[in-house]
Amino acid sequence: MFFDRPKYKQFAKEQLSGRSLFPILITLITLLISLALSTLQFEKIDTAELTQYLASGDIESASAYISSMLKGIVGNLLVALLTSAIGCIINYASITYYSEMTKSPEKVGFSVFVQGFNDWVRALGTGFYLALRLFLWGLILIAGAFVGITLAIILIASFSIAGMPESVTLGVSITVFVIIYLGSAVPYFIKIYAYGFTTYIAVENPHISIPNALTLSNKLTRGFKWSIFKLEFSFLPLIVISLFLAGIPLLYIVPYMNLSKLNAYHAILRNAVDQNLLPEEVKE
């Protein structure tokens, strides 16, 4: 099965050659906005203080504190939603820009990135629909953790009754928990890569609905998930090195990585079109 990782990365370098200024600027803007959003204050929830009120029988103070906690929880949710929404829109606008870079060797104006914000409704829809679908798969992780903890507790109790050494008891229990939890994580991470082309499809095919874009992503990535993972993983050394240089190289590495992934997507898409594996609406 074809997948030429070095070629996609080489194409990305050529696409950035002589026109890396705006991609670097977009990465910098994204970083600054992310830092600004991270400064938003989340209300701290301190259950220890509530416990003290209840233990002392101070019901009035406990009630007031519970009311304050509820307001804090609502505030945290609103901040989280705002942060996620802005992240979705910026990501959509960035992909819009990078997509244009892959279509022509000519310089792409910064206005393309700005215009990407005009599709904020579709950006939000794509981001939150993806998040919802991944959340549902993430429930398997929660179930796996619950089952793992339950079995670990049962094993600890059983081994203790049988008089097994504590080191053996803990070792076996922890091993069982880790195996079950990691096993439950596999479907979730598979879906991360299965849905990885959804935003690309949504950006380049505005006539395709978001659920259909996700379905097409799932179809396109079939057989390529491991290759896409290796493509992403190949950037890890550069990312690690950049951390020792105050993260400055990331301003170039992020566009380099995004363009490489888009090149891989286009190659997989062309292969699917050549094999007549996609509906006509994608081939237009």
Side-chain angles (χ1 to χ4, degrees), residues 10-29:
Q10 181 59 37
F11 280 171
K13 289 180 181 178
E14 294 173 3
Q15 288 158 351
L16 283 169
S17 178
R19 50 178 190 165
S20 61
L21 176 61
F22 289 147
I24 288 175
L25 181 59
I26 289 170
T27 305
L28 179 60
I29 291 172

Side-chain angles (χ1 to χ4, degrees), residues 134 185-196 218 221 225:
L134 288 174
V186 171
Y188 178 75
F189 285 103
I190 287 176
K191 287 303 175 181
I192 288 178
Y193 286 93
Y195 301 159
N218 198 30
T221 54
K225 297 179 187 67

Side-chain angles (χ1 to χ4, degrees), residues 260-272:
S260 298
K261 289 174 64 178
L262 264 168
N263 290 332
Y265 159 68
H266 287 144
I268 294 173
L269 180 64
R270 283 193 297 271
N271 178 68

Side-chain angles (χ1 to χ4, degrees), residues 7-264:
K7 183 173 74 174
Y8 306 146
K9 296 175 73 173
Q10 181 59 37
F11 280 171
K13 289 180 181 178
E14 294 173 3
Q15 288 158 351
L16 283 169
S17 178
R19 50 178 190 165
S20 61
L21 176 61
F22 289 147
I24 288 175
L25 181 59
I26 289 170
T27 305
L28 179 60
I29 291 172
T30 303
L31 176 62
L32 292 176
I33 292 176
S34 299
L35 290 175
L37 291 173
S38 67
T39 61
L40 293 177
Q41 294 296 316
F42 283 75
E43 188 73 24
K44 294 182 179 180
I45 308 299
D46 186 2
T47 55
E49 188 173 348
L50 175 61
T51 303
Q52 291 176 1
Y53 290 140
L54 293 174
S56 63
D58 190 349
I59 303 301
E60 184 177 349
S61 297
S63 299
Y65 194 78
I66 290 174
S67 177
S68 176
M69 284 179 61
L70 291 175
K71 291 179 181 179
I73 292 172
V74 172
N76 289 345
L77 288 174
L78 290 175
V79 170
L81 284 173
L82 175 63
T83 302
S84 299
I86 294 175
C88 289
I89 296 171
I90 293 176
N91 181 58
Y92 194 94
S94 298
I95 291 175
T96 300
Y97 186 88
Y98 293 129
S99 176
E100 287 298 316
M101 287 190 70
T102 63
K103 295 176 182 177
S104 168
E106 301 298 324
K107 289 188 177 181
V108 180
F110 187 74
S111 60
V112 173
F113 173 65
V114 177
Q115 290 168 4
F117 286 84
N118 293 334
D119 292 327
W120 63 271
V121 174
R122 188 166 173 83
L124 289 176
T126 303
F128 283 111
Y129 185 71
L130 268 171
L132 174 61
R133 292 294 295 267
L134 288 174
F135 169 76
L136 294 176
W137 281 100
L139 293 176
I140 298 176
L141 273 172
I142 298 174
F146 177 78
V147 171
I149 291 173
T150 301
L151 287 179
I153 292 173
I154 292 173
L155 286 173
I156 290 173
S158 301
F159 283 8
S160 297
I161 293 173
M164 296 290 288
E166 184 177 341
S167 58
V168 174
T169 300
L170 289 176
V172 172
S173 301
I174 292 173
T175 300
V176 168
F177 170 77
V178 170
I179 291 174
I180 292 176
Y181 185 71
L182 291 180
S184 66
V186 171
Y188 178 75
F189 285 103
I190 287 176
K191 287 303 175 181
I192 288 178
Y193 286 93
Y195 301 159
F197 289 163
T198 302
T199 307
Y200 298 165
I201 296 170
V203 167
E204 297 187 350
N205 301 274
H207 56 286
I208 295 180
S209 69
I210 295 168
N212 283 343
L214 185 140
T215 300
L216 287 170
S217 175
N218 198 30
K219 187 173 184 177
L220 282 172
T221 54
R222 197 168 296 156
F224 293 101
K225 297 179 187 67
W226 180 243
S227 297
I228 296 169
F229 169 78
K230 289 193 291 185
L231 173 62
E232 291 184 346
F233 190 80
S234 67
F235 290 95
L236 184 61
L238 292 176
I239 293 173
V240 172
I241 292 173
S242 71
L243 295 179
F244 292 98
L245 299 172
I248 295 175
L250 285 174
L251 297 177
Y252 178 86
I253 294 171
V254 170
Y256 176 31
M257 182 165 60
N258 283 325
L259 285 169
S260 298
K261 289 174 64 178
L262 264 168
N263 290 332

